[in-house]
Amino acid sequence: EVQLVESGGGLVQAGGSLRLSCTASGFTFSNYAMSWVRQAPGKGLEWVSGISGSGGSTYNTDSLKGRFTISRDNSRNTLHLQMNSLRVEDTAVYFCAKQDSTVTTWFDYWGQGTLVTVSS
Amino acid sequence: QSVLTQPPSASGTPGQRVTMSCSGSSPNIGSNYVYWYQQLPGMAPKLLIYRTNQRPSGVPDRFSGSKSGTSASLAISGLRSEDDTDYHCAAWDDSLSGWVFGGGTKLTVL
C-alpha cells in the first residue's frame, strides 16, 4: 500500500525558513517523480515543485521566484521542500504527491498534508 | 487567480446528473490530458479521472470526463449524498512547464 507522510510544517515568522519532508513507502521510490502541491485556506490547489525519480530534473512554479527548493533522498525514500524567505501568502497545507511516472504525468497518490502558517 | 477556470459552485438533487466545467487554453487543456480530483473536507485529494476520460479502479462509472478544445467537463450521474464535496481539475501546461489547477467547484447535493 502506498503511503506518503509529510512532516515539518508549523508556525514561522515572515522572512523565515522551513524544511518539509515526505516519507514514502509501498512503492519503489526512485522509479517515480514526486511533487509538492499546496492549498491555501479555503482556496484551490496550487502546484509548487516537481522532481524526477532520479532527482536530476526539477520543475518549479515561476511565482516562487527561487525561494523554494525541492530535493529527494532515494536512499531514505524521502522528499524534501526547503522554503526560504517565507511570506504570509505561503500559508497553506502542503501535500506531497506521487506521480504516475514522470513529472508530466498525473498525481496518483497524495499524503495527508502538513500545515505551514506564516505570521507577520 | 487559477490558470484553469471552474465555477465555484454546482448543485443537484439525488439521482440527478450534474456536470461541471473546467476552462483553460491552448498550452494546457488544448494540448494535454485533463485530470479530476475529488477532495473531501480536511482530506487529501483523490484521483477521480485521469487522461481526460479514464477512471482509476474503484471509481464508480457514475463519474465520467470529457474534453472539447480548451474546455473539459466532469459529469456525475445518479447523484448521491456522498458526492457533496469539492472537485478540482488539473492539466500540464506546456508554456509554463508545470501543472495548473482550477480553483475548484463545490458540489452541493440538495
Side-chain angles (χ1 to χ4, degrees):
Chain A
E1 178 194 4
V2 172
Q3 288 197 335
L4 300 169
V5 179
E6 300 94 337
S7 60
L11 176 63
V12 62
Q13 282 198 318
S17 299
L18 271 181
R19 189 191 196 209
L20 305 184
S21 298
C22 171
T23 302
S25 61
F27 63 101
T28 303
F29 185 65
S30 59
N31 286 355
Y32 297 91
M34 300 288 294
S35 278
W36 288 97
V37 179
R38 69 183 181 182
Q39 186 171 35
K43 301 295 185 182
L45 300 168
E46 179 188 19
W47 176 77
V48 172
S49 293
I51 187 168
S52 63
S54 68
S57 298
T58 60
Y59 305 77
N60 300 282
T61 187
D62 289 342
S63 62
L64 292 177
K65 300 188 191 305
R67 296 185 296 119
F68 292 8
T69 303
I70 191 171
S71 63
R72 65 192 296 161
D73 183 344
N74 286 345
S75 68
R76 300 186 180 207
N77 288 359
T78 305
L79 176 73
H80 299 290
L81 184 69
Q82 178 65 43
M83 304 187 296
N84 299 329
S85 303
L86 282 162
R87 304 170 179 171
V88 171
E89 55 264 35
D90 294 319
T91 294
V93 174
Y94 286 73
F95 297 100
C96 73
K98 171 188 171 293
Q99 304 194 240
D100 184 70
S101 58
T102 65
V103 171
T104 63
T105 60
W106 61 99
F107 314 104
D108 54 3
Y109 292 92
W110 301 63
Q112 286 305 300
T114 187
L115 176 62
V116 172
T117 304
V118 184
S119 67
S120 56
Chain B
Q1 196 82 345
S2 301
V3 173
L4 305 182
T5 301
Q6 294 182 255
S9 63
S11 64
T13 56
Q16 196 176 21
R17 182 178 187 270
V18 297
T19 61
M20 57 190 76
S21 63
C22 175
S23 177
S25 57
S26 180
N28 43 70
I29 293 179
S31 303
N32 295 294
Y33 293 116
V34 180
Y35 301 86
W36 292 90
Y37 294 88
Q38 181 189 61
Q39 186 179 27
L40 299 173
M43 302 292 285
K46 169 193 166 186
L47 181 65
L48 201 60
I49 297 289
Y50 69 101
R51 287 185 173 169
T52 303
N53 56 16
Q54 303 297 303
R55 284 185 310 276
S57 60
V59 173
D61 59 6
R62 302 187 297 107
F63 295 90
S64 62
S66 63
K67 183 180 93 167
S68 178
T70 58
S71 290
S73 293
L74 173 70
I76 308 174
S77 60
L79 204 58
R80 303 174 67 159
S81 58
E82 58 259 40
D83 301 331
D84 187 310
T85 193
D86 296 330
Y87 296 85
H88 305 273
C89 61
W92 177 262
D93 190 295
D94 290 335
S95 290
L96 298 174
S97 292
W99 284 91
V100 291
F101 285 90
T105 295
K106 164 63 181 168
L107 174 63
T108 299
V109 179
L110 302 168

